[in-house]
Amino acid sequence: MSHVQMLAKELKSAWQNYPGRTVCLTGAGVSTDSGIPSYRGLRGVENKSPITFQAFRGDQAFRDRYWARSFLGYPFIASAVPNSTHKAINSLRLKGFIGTLITQNVDSLHGNNNVLELHGSLREVRCLECDLYVSRDTVQNWLSDQNPEWAEYFSEQMYLESTRTISSGVLHTLGAQTNLSAPTISTLDLSPPKLDKSGHVIGTTFESYASRPIKSLRPDGDVDIDHLLMTGILPPFKSPICPCLRDAGKCGGVLKPDVLFFGESMKMELVEKSKVSVDDAGLLLVVGSTLTVYSAYRIVTRAIAAGVKVVVLNKGLTRADGLEGVLKIDGWSGDVLPDLVDILN
């Protein structure tokens, strides 16, 4: 029996016996085809060190570096589009084969239609002092205004990449498929650099930028910038502060993307909703997660304890491999789920 047939059998059975009560939990593996990397590879080993809440809140220099990395990386996250896995899961939800959708991902590629985002979303920013929420796109434009040299660097990197791409009007960078206009940074100029009468670039920054490209998009939506900091071609980055008016003046609190950094606790509302959904489930389907993070793994162990069957679709090792009550399907979700939708149709 093929992977697709195995999964179709389980979903059909759950749909017939527990209609609307299949819970789907997704991890970073469902977004890799959209150009967003995962923290772990096929062996479950970390590809990048995660960001800790303690370091972010307690160290201004750390925050400045994080926001610089995020400023350069966020346009790729914001411009990423749902892939075949996202579309297949949405189709299964519309047809009633999946009820509750829980995700570990912070890219919002599942949309905002009743999705439990365990680790938050990069699309919003929260003040740690007054709890004000601001859209990430708004903050991106603030950062562009406050850091013009970094904005220039980004613009020229986008132009340089656009001259290398084969696809018309589409930029392939860092594994992501991104709109060339980078719409979330409306203030940036993506036009070619200015040339003198001899055809040489006016100024010296463009030449230095050209040899120092944007590197390695990270799962949290930021990029590596050590090579930029070491050369000193860009000035120190200015982090955003809360703009709200409180008492007689501005709050000025620390702004943080509304995502869960390591060392933070999950929102209790999300924890309780996920518990209720799992306790009432007829089937738990895990897609694209190694389940290494405890917040995801405990959903699986809770389901097992409640007598709920668990099916894990993931390419490579997971923490649930070998657990009693777990059916492991070792495969790419982008290969399996679209065919699954066709069979169930």
Side-chain angles (χ1 to χ4, degrees):
M1 186 179 294
S2 70
H3 290 163
V4 177
Q5 292 171 329
M6 291 169 61
L7 193 49
K9 178 182 176 181
E10 297 296 336
L11 279 180
K12 280 183 179 179
S13 176
W15 178 70
Q16 291 168 349
N17 297 303
Y18 311 98
R21 289 163 57 190
T22 291
V23 175
C24 181
L25 169 65
T26 67
V30 308
S31 291
T32 53
D33 284 345
S34 293
I36 301 173
S38 64
Y39 270 118
R40 296 167 181 87
L42 296 181
R43 298 179 181 275
V45 179
E46 278 192 3
N47 293 325
K48 294 290 182 182
S49 299
I51 297 168
T52 66
F53 177 71
Q54 292 79 2
F56 182 88
R57 180 158 198 169
D59 188 335
Q60 179 66 53
F62 184 94
R63 283 200 299 277
D64 291 343
R65 289 194 299 272
Y66 168 79
W67 278 112
R69 298 197 308 266
S70 179
F71 175 71
L72 296 176
Y74 176 71
F76 301 104
I77 298 292
S79 301
V81 296
N83 60 51
S84 59
T85 296
H86 298 107
K87 294 174 182 177
I89 290 174
N90 185 56
S91 179
L92 293 172
R93 295 185 74 193
L94 292 174
K95 296 178 185 301
F97 287 103
I98 291 176
T100 302
L101 177 57
I102 305 172
T103 186
Q104 300 171 253
N105 299 339
V106 296
D107 50 42
S108 296
L109 289 179
H110 283 300
N112 56 8
N113 182 20
N114 196 27
V115 179
L116 299 183
E117 296 177 310
L118 290 182
H119 299 164
S121 171
L122 283 170
R123 306 294 174 137
E124 287 193 297
V125 175
R126 181 173 68 90
C127 176
L128 298 181
E129 307 303 323
C130 71
D131 213 33
L132 175 74
Y133 281 81
V134 184
S135 81
R136 181 65 176 80
D137 289 354
T138 296
V139 172
Q140 188 75 3
N141 286 328
W142 291 348
L143 293 174
S144 178
D145 291 338
Q146 293 298 313
N147 299 276
E149 294 90 352
W150 287 81
E152 179 189 11
Y153 168 77
F154 180 88
S155 296
E156 294 176 351
Q157 287 299 312
M158 295 303 94
Y159 172 72
L160 288 169
E161 282 294 336
S162 72
T163 63
R164 303 185 188 113
T165 186
I166 298 175
S167 301
S168 176
V170 176
L171 176 66
H172 296 272
T173 305
L174 306 171
Q177 182 171 337
T178 307
N179 294 332
L180 182 59
S181 58
T184 55
I185 307 185
S186 58
T187 59
L188 292 189
D189 179 12
L190 297 184
S191 59
K194 295 180 176 60
L195 306 178
D196 61 22
K197 293 181 180 180
S198 301
H200 299 295
V201 176
I202 297 175
T204 59
T205 55
F206 186 80
E207 182 179 354
S208 60
Y209 292 168
S211 63
R212 295 172 176 83
I214 295 175
K215 292 184 178 180
S216 186
L217 182 67
R218 297 159 55 100
D220 286 318
D222 54 340
V223 299
D224 289 338
I225 60 170
D226 288 348
H227 61 300
L228 297 177
L229 299 178
M230 290 174 62
T231 59
I233 64 170
L234 291 169
F237 196 84
K238 298 177 182 177
S239 297
I241 59 174
C242 181
C244 84
L245 294 176
R246 188 177 63 177
D247 300 326
K250 292 184 178 181
C251 167
V254 172
L255 288 183
K256 171 187 169 293
D258 192 32
V259 297
L260 200 67
F261 287 170
F262 271 62
E264 281 187 281
S265 298
M266 289 174 52
K267 296 178 181 178
M268 287 308 301
E269 178 185 5
L270 291 173
V271 173
E272 291 304 317
K273 285 183 177 180
S274 64
K275 285 181 179 179
V276 170
S277 297
V278 171
D279 289 346
D280 188 51
L283 174 72
L284 173 62
L285 172 63
V286 179
V287 182
S289 176
T290 62
L291 299 170
T292 304
V293 177
Y294 182 66
S295 60
Y297 180 67
R298 69 181 174 187
I299 290 177
V300 172
T301 57
R302 188 180 186 91
I304 294 172
V308 177
K309 185 164 187 178
V310 179
V311 177
V312 177
L313 171 61
N314 187 72
K315 187 66 177 177
L317 301 176
T318 81
R319 195 174 178 180
D321 291 0
L323 292 182
E324 186 176 352
V326 174
L327 170 63
K328 169 67 179 300
I329 299 177
D330 195 295
W332 299 106
S333 61
D335 294 333
V336 175
L337 292 188
D339 289 343
L340 173 68
V341 171
D342 290 341
I343 288 181
L344 294 178
N345 281 338

